Amino acid sequence: MLKVASIKNGVVIDHITPGNGLKIFSKLNLKDIDEPVILLRNADSSKAGKKDVVKIENFYDLPLEYLGILDSNITINYIKDEKIIDKKSVSLPLKIKGIVKCKNPRCISFEQKDVSPEFTLNNREDGYICSYCEETTSLKRIKL
Amino acid sequence: MKLNCKHLCHSLDLSLEELDYLFNLAKEMKKNPAKYSNSLAGHILGTLFFEPSTRTRLSFESAMLRLGGQVLGFSDSDQSSAKKGEGLWDTVRVMDGYCDIMVIRHPKEGSSLLASEYSQVPVINGGDGGHQHPTQTLTDLFTIVTEKGSLENKNFAFVGDLKHGRTVHSTLLALARYKGNKFTLISPSELKIPAYLREQLTKMGAEFEESTDLKSAISDADVLYSTRIQKERFFNEEDYLKLKDNYIINNCVLSHGKKDMLVLHPLPRVNEISIEVDSDPRAGFFRQAKLGVYIRMALIHTLIKGGHTNA
């Protein structure tokens, strides 16, 4: 079994759905970070069978809402002196603004790049309701 | 009475108590117009109509003039700086220095809510795309109260373009808040109510069914609400032509309805209600258009001055 070094200080993004690790690596621009970063794909998981994991040394500031939309299964471990000092589950945020655009071509925000609707979570199946037109943008159609 | 909302963007912005208040004030204004004929002297209504309108714009203008106020604005986006590429927010910011209250019609959904975020003066939604038309809803509710005595325990049949018809969306949601109402929604399958509206109605506990059969659906209706197929909302002409004459209300259709059924239509009609129906006492759509002026008077007055107490 592959052994991967633990980190001393930083964050571990754990329980990432297999395949999403690379996406998170890319969306968080981790290639531009000067600190050590580990991307582990298809690691064994007692919960889900397989998982992806991202470890970032000397880094704590993660956009949790954004991660919640990218993959609501993940948990984040905050590490200090090789000990977990905090653990957070990421879930779909109830409200989001500035991350998603409305998919309804009739919405006032659709063609106006400066107009940013607030979205309210309807439910996991349906997605988010736009504050302007009230149409739902499904999670499947949200491309981050 | 001071309304809880500064702007009216959605038909659910007003509470049932506030609606009752506006109905009573509109009734009083209709009965005693002289009392209010100078009550908004010195105030200006801005009319920002980025889409064509006859009834809504002129009804608002009539309402403001009957209250002693004045009106300025434009009736087509070609007459505004929108044609030069100006964003709605800039038009609104400029206009709010020129008027004390403004009404906006715009083809995009959510436009009046966006405008309200930039305006210091009250914004009234005069129709935003296929989304909402709350003052048509006020007109519809006021007409039903005036003609049928109450907004509860009624059977409503809505027929026509239920997908794009913003008046249907606004009025359905507003009526669903009153107890005992049942709704039959009659449309071709392509023009059913949008999914978000169906979900909202379900969450509100509204009793409704969807149908394609007009004749059988109207036999129990207390109010038959007809709408035009919204040609301007179709992306291609062919789809419009295929659906435009699906439901035509004529004397034969009306013979299936109750003797005291009220027939409403937000107007303009194209050919969904035959002219022969106009002479039937159940045809309430021209009375409805007239009542729209009084309820808009009540709304403007209350948003600017707080209603009865400041006549």
Side-chain angles (χ1 to χ4, degrees), chain A residues 104-108 111-112 114-115 122-123 126 131-136, chain B residues 10 89 106 108-111 113-114 117 131 164 196 199-200 203 233 235:
Chain A
N104 173 12
R106 295 186 178 92
C107 180
I108 185 71
E111 286 166 358
Q112 306 278 352
D114 298 325
V115 177
N122 191 13
N123 58 52
D126 287 347
S131 57
Y132 289 127
C133 68
E134 299 185 90
E135 288 283 353
T136 301
Chain B
H10 197 287
W89 46 89
H106 195 280
K108 292 291 183 182
E109 299 176 3
S111 47
L113 179 62
L114 178 71
E117 291 166 5
H131 180 225
H164 304 109
Y196 81 86
E199 194 172 316
Q200 282 186 30
K203 276 184 185 166
R233 312 278 173 227
F235 288 121

Side-chain angles (χ1 to χ4, degrees), chain B residues 111-214:
Chain B
S111 47
S112 60
L113 179 62
L114 178 71
S116 73
E117 291 166 5
Y118 290 92
S119 175
Q120 301 297 310
V121 304
V123 169
I124 300 171
N125 181 0
D128 59 337
H131 180 225
Q132 279 273 314
H133 195 346
T135 64
Q136 181 62 47
T137 293
L138 287 177
T139 302
D140 299 341
L141 301 191
F142 184 47
T143 306
I144 297 164
V145 167
T146 304
E147 301 243 345
K148 306 292 282 182
S150 123
L151 290 161
E152 295 178 348
N153 302 311
K154 304 273 182 296
N155 292 331
F156 292 92
F158 285 82
V159 60
D161 186 349
L162 308 188
K163 180 181 179 184
H164 304 109
R166 57 191 169 203
T167 63
V168 171
H169 305 164
S170 293
T171 298
L172 256 178
L173 285 173
L175 285 168
R177 294 196 293 177
Y178 292 91
K179 67 180 179 191
N181 288 333
K182 293 178 185 169
F183 305 95
T184 308
L185 310 176
I186 307 141
S187 69
S189 56
E190 296 91 335
L191 298 177
K192 286 180 171 183
I193 56 169
Y196 81 86
L197 183 62
R198 188 176 297 114
E199 194 172 316
Q200 282 186 30
L201 289 170
T202 305
K203 276 184 185 166
M204 291 168 86
E207 199 175 322
F208 68 97
E209 60 177 314
E210 295 179 78
S211 167
T212 54
D213 182 8
L214 173 62

Side-chain angles (χ1 to χ4, degrees), chain A:
Chain A
M1 189 178 165
L2 182 66
K3 286 256 181 189
V4 179
S6 55
I7 59 174
K8 193 172 179 185
N9 293 295
V11 287
V12 175
I13 308 173
D14 201 0
H15 302 119
I16 302 169
T17 305
N20 278 351
L22 197 57
K23 195 171 169 186
I24 287 172
F25 187 91
S26 159
K27 295 293 177 186
L28 296 184
N29 286 322
L30 297 181
K31 68 177 172 46
D32 296 332
I33 289 183
D34 286 335
E35 303 294 343
V37 178
I38 298 165
L39 166 61
L40 189 60
R41 299 182 63 205
N42 300 319
D44 289 333
S45 164
S46 54
K47 273 189 195 170
K50 298 275 183 196
K51 65 179 180 179
D52 288 359
V53 181
V54 172
K55 299 184 180 191
I56 317 167
E57 189 83 49
N58 298 321
F59 185 90
Y60 292 98
D61 191 20
L62 287 172
L64 298 183
E65 286 191 346
Y66 190 80
L67 282 172
I69 299 168
L70 275 174
D71 188 343
S72 58
N73 293 320
I74 64 180
T75 52
I76 298 167
N77 298 325
Y78 293 85
I79 314 287
K80 193 169 183 189
D81 297 329
E82 298 183 336
K83 286 182 184 160
I84 297 174
I85 55 163
D86 197 7
K87 197 170 191 142
K88 281 186 180 157
S89 291
V90 170
S91 57
L92 284 170
L94 295 178
K95 290 194 183 291
I96 48 173
K97 190 165 181 172
I99 299 174
V100 176
K101 290 290 286 180
C102 184
K103 303 291 183 199
N104 173 12
R106 295 186 178 92
C107 180
I108 185 71
S109 71
F110 186 75
E111 286 166 358
Q112 306 278 352
K113 63 176 187 246
D114 298 325
V115 177
S116 178
E118 181 174 83
F119 288 87
T120 306
L121 181 65
N122 191 13
N123 58 52
R124 288 181 73 94
E125 285 71 39
D126 287 347
Y128 284 89
I129 299 169
C130 171
S131 57
Y132 289 127
C133 68
E134 299 185 90
E135 288 283 353
T136 301
T137 295
S138 71
L139 291 174
K140 285 177 197 158
R141 294 187 71 195
I142 294 177
K143 303 235 181 320
L144 296 175

